[in-house]
Amino acid sequence: MKNIFKSALMLMAGFALLTSCEDDRDDNPTVYAPTEFVLNTPAAASENIDLASSSALTLTCSQPNYGFPASTKYTVQVSLNEDMSDMAALDQNFQNTVISVDPSILASSLTTLALNSGKAEEDFPLDIPVYVRLRACIVTDTDGEVAGTEILSNVIKLSSVHVKYSLAPVELPKHIYVVGSFCGWDWGSCFEFVPVYEHPEMFWRMVYIDDQGVKINTDKAWDGGEKGFSQITVDGDLKGEIVDGGGNIASSKPGWYLMIVTASVKGRDIVYNVQFNQPLVWLMGNVIGSWDECADGWSFDVPATKDGDFVSPAFAGSSAGDADGGVRAYVKVPGNDWWHSEFMVLNGVIEYRGAGGDQARVSGNAGQRLYLNFSNGTGAIK
């Protein structure tokens, strides 16, 4: 009896499920692939539209014929060509058929399109025809797009749009980082380049480069902004040793390099010239009896391994720190005074002057040496 009752319940449930699937009710509507989506031509389309003095550009459209009133996302696409071949989507989304376009966003996109077409900043302001269409699709409650519901509207023409140059100046990077096999390709353990004093466009770093290579970036992330061999200009005394390591900046003779990065602006892009020079570190001051740059015999021994120490020659004399300038160390960046790229070991840590002021002075005695480990950022005088 129990089994008969259980079977009857299962049959009734199956019948109910079949009925609900066959019904096209309001809470389970059928979605039709849209075939009609009209963007209306605004009344001002034939007039000169000055984006700088406009509070908004209003567009209206019909909802795509999905078969029911669906939650729809609309995106504006603009182009300088009637065939929309250079289309750019504005960084705005809309949820209804009355669309208020932000003039500043439109001006920025049109400025970029004009630059891409060969215009220069000095050519602005421009009075140009602009072509517009909309993209629509159904979205879920979490703003996810529903596959198969995308449709593009017709294209309308705005005959004359007045566009001022609307892009912010391209700024030089304030930080540059290098990642590679020396740190397991982990941005969390990467090196930051040191800014060169009085030269915000220049950075330096002592880096161990092997046949797997390195990449540089202005952020500590794999975000698409990283630069490899083909995205830089290879320069410097040892540029002949730098090779393409599968897109990375690699070396045919693995070892330490003094990398000097010079960033410059070209159009809307930042370009990088990277010098690969001898990994020379120099002593300076009373401990060598001279304040001459790159004094003969006073460069450090360079380690053969990525985790080895750079070791100075034994000090020829003593230094009393603040009283006579202290022990000083630096790398030579071409075209700069030695102190533009100096550094010192303070409390066991390598501290770089960078773009800052004078560093604290440290003392040293004749016969001692300065040890530097650029891999872990430590050092000592002993």
Side-chain angles (χ1 to χ4, degrees):
M1 186 71 175
K2 186 182 294 184
N3 289 336
I4 294 174
F5 181 67
K6 181 178 180 181
S7 297
L9 287 175
M10 292 177 66
L11 285 171
M12 291 173 65
F15 178 74
L17 179 61
L18 178 62
T19 302
S20 66
C21 289
E22 290 178 346
D23 285 346
D24 183 16
R25 303 180 310 189
D26 289 342
D27 60 347
N28 185 31
T30 299
V31 180
Y32 295 100
T35 58
E36 183 178 335
F37 178 30
V38 178
L39 170 61
N40 301 314
T41 300
S46 60
E47 303 173 4
N48 184 267
I49 301 172
D50 186 351
L51 297 179
S53 61
S54 300
S55 58
L57 173 65
T58 301
L59 303 172
T60 61
C61 65
S62 63
Q63 187 184 55
N65 56 333
Y66 291 117
F68 66 100
S71 178
T72 307
K73 178 174 72 176
Y74 301 93
T75 306
V76 180
Q77 299 179 348
V78 296
S79 175
L80 303 184
N81 302 319
E82 188 172 6
D83 63 1
M84 303 296 289
S85 55
D86 64 342
M87 181 276 294
L90 302 190
D91 189 21
Q92 280 185 290
N93 293 321
F94 303 90
Q95 299 296 327
N96 57 63
T97 56
V98 179
I99 294 166
S100 184
V101 178
D102 186 325
S104 64
I105 294 177
L106 177 55
S108 177
S109 294
L110 293 177
T111 300
T112 299
L113 290 177
L115 292 174
N116 291 342
S117 72
K119 297 294 185 182
E121 183 174 355
E122 56 266 25
D123 295 326
F124 288 77
L126 300 170
D127 290 285
I128 53 176
V130 175
Y131 298 90
V132 184
R133 73 183 178 197
L134 299 181
R135 175 186 181 271
C137 63
I138 295 178
V139 291
T140 65
D141 291 341
T142 58
D143 204 35
E145 296 187 2
V146 177
T149 65
E150 176 186 1
I151 185 172
L152 298 175
S153 76
N154 56 298
V155 177
I156 66 168
K157 179 182 179 180
L158 306 178
S159 299
S160 179
V161 179
H162 188 73
V163 183
K164 293 183 178 180
Y165 191 85
S166 302
L167 298 180
V170 177
E171 295 185 352
L172 292 172
K174 293 181 172 57
H175 304 276
I176 299 180
Y177 305 92
V178 59
V179 71
S181 62
F182 68 85
C183 64
W185 297 99
D186 176 16
W187 286 108
S189 303
C190 70
F191 292 166
E192 181 174 1
F193 279 84
V194 182
V196 176
Y197 188 82
E198 291 185 340
H199 286 274
E201 79 285 3
M202 298 183 73
F203 304 82
W204 71 271
R205 183 77 202 204
M206 203 69 79
V207 182
Y208 188 91
I209 306 176
D210 59 15
D211 56 0
Q212 296 183 50
V214 300
K215 275 189 166 75
I216 63 174
N217 199 356
T218 55
D219 289 306
K220 296 164 63 172
W222 296 108
D223 58 2
E226 58 271 9
K227 307 298 181 183
F229 182 84
S230 63
Q231 288 90 37
I232 67 169
T233 298
V234 177
D235 204 347
D237 300 335
L238 303 180
K239 65 181 181 180
E241 299 178 4
I242 302 304
V243 297
D244 186 348
N248 299 328
I249 306 163
S251 172
S252 61
K253 297 181 179 179
W256 286 94
Y257 291 84
L258 172 58
M259 286 182 67
I260 302 169
V261 179
T262 302
S264 59
V265 176
K266 184 177 181 181
R268 298 296 299 175
D269 298 319
I270 297 175
V271 296
Y272 298 92
N273 177 283
V274 185
Q275 296 182 53
F276 298 85
N277 289 345
Q278 294 282 353
L280 297 178
V281 180
W282 301 87
L283 282 177
M284 173 69 79
N286 287 350
V287 291
I288 69 169
S290 172
W291 290 89
D292 294 333
E293 288 191 3
C294 305
D296 188 41
W298 291 105
S299 63
F300 285 53
D301 290 336
V302 179
T305 61
K306 66 180 180 181
D307 54 0
D309 287 343
F310 285 68
V311 182
S312 77
F315 299 167
S318 297
S319 173
D322 289 335
D324 60 8
V327 180
R328 311 288 280 272
Y330 65 98
V331 298
K332 178 62 178 176
V333 175
N336 286 265
D337 291 330
W338 67 271
W339 52 272
H340 286 188
S341 48
E342 71 170 315
F343 53 91
M344 187 39 59
V345 174
L346 304 175
N347 299 316
V349 177
I350 301 174
E351 299 285 354
Y352 300 96
R353 175 171 185 166
D358 282 344
Q359 294 184 285
R361 304 300 183 213
V362 299
S363 59
N365 298 319
Q368 289 186 308
R369 299 174 187 266
L370 175 57
Y371 296 79
L372 303 169
N373 190 299
F374 289 108
S375 289
N376 59 29
T378 62
I381 295 175
K382 55 185 181 180

